[in-house]
Amino acid sequence: QVQRVESGGGLVQTGGLLKPSCAASGLPAGYSLGWFRQNPGKERAFVAAITSRRDRNTYSDPVKGRFTISRDSAKNTVYLQMNSLKTEDTAIYYCVAVRVWSPKLMQTTPHWDYWGQGTQVTVSS
């Protein structure tokens, strides 16, 4: 049984920053972690991922240079540092996890085994 609980969302103005986090319970070591986001009526979109055995992160084009993903392995927690926020970043952000990471499939929804319930991020002008 794996549970993932997001926190740290909220309402900020354009140019502001947020750092949501996601703590997992019952998740074994060695899992890759990531973030997706979604607005109502739209498809879930890949945001970022961090592997458990690689020294590199992966980001979607819209967030490159502004977002940074990190993890605390001891706490099974993943973070998403979001800087220079734009109104188009407004979405529900979901944390995800998978045991076997694939660089070819990581940007697709079916690749990830575990999903959190989401935290709302709203960016206003």
Side-chain angles (χ1 to χ4, degrees):
Q1 186 76 14
V2 177
Q3 292 184 334
R4 309 211 70 197
V5 180
E6 299 95 335
S7 63
L11 174 63
V12 298
Q13 293 182 325
T14 299
L17 59 89
L18 286 171
K19 191 178 183 179
S21 63
C22 180
S25 61
L27 185 67
Y31 275 65
S32 296
L33 308 173
W35 291 90
F36 278 70
R37 65 185 182 183
Q38 183 178 27
N39 272 322
K42 298 182 179 180
E43 296 181 354
R44 291 186 179 182
F46 173 80
V47 176
I50 183 170
T51 65
S52 61
R53 302 177 183 179
R54 299 288 188 274
D55 293 330
R56 66 182 180 89
N57 304 330
T58 302
Y59 301 93
S60 64
D61 289 338
V63 307
K64 288 181 180 178
R66 299 188 297 117
F67 290 11
T68 302
I69 187 171
S70 61
R71 67 188 298 167
D72 185 336
S73 297
K75 299 180 179 180
N76 261 343
T77 300
V78 61
Y79 304 88
L80 186 66
Q81 178 67 60
M82 304 187 294
N83 300 327
S84 302
L85 283 165
K86 306 175 180 179
T87 56
E88 49 263 48
D89 295 319
T90 296
I92 298 175
Y93 283 72
Y94 299 89
C95 62
V96 295
V98 67
R99 184 180 68 85
V100 181
W101 179 77
S102 171
K104 298 180 179 180
L105 302 175
M106 63 178 178
Q107 298 189 37
T108 65
T109 299
H111 178 58
W112 300 89
D113 296 325
Y114 304 105
W115 291 75
Q117 293 183 325
T119 185
Q120 178 69 49
V121 171
T122 303
V123 185
S124 63
S125 300

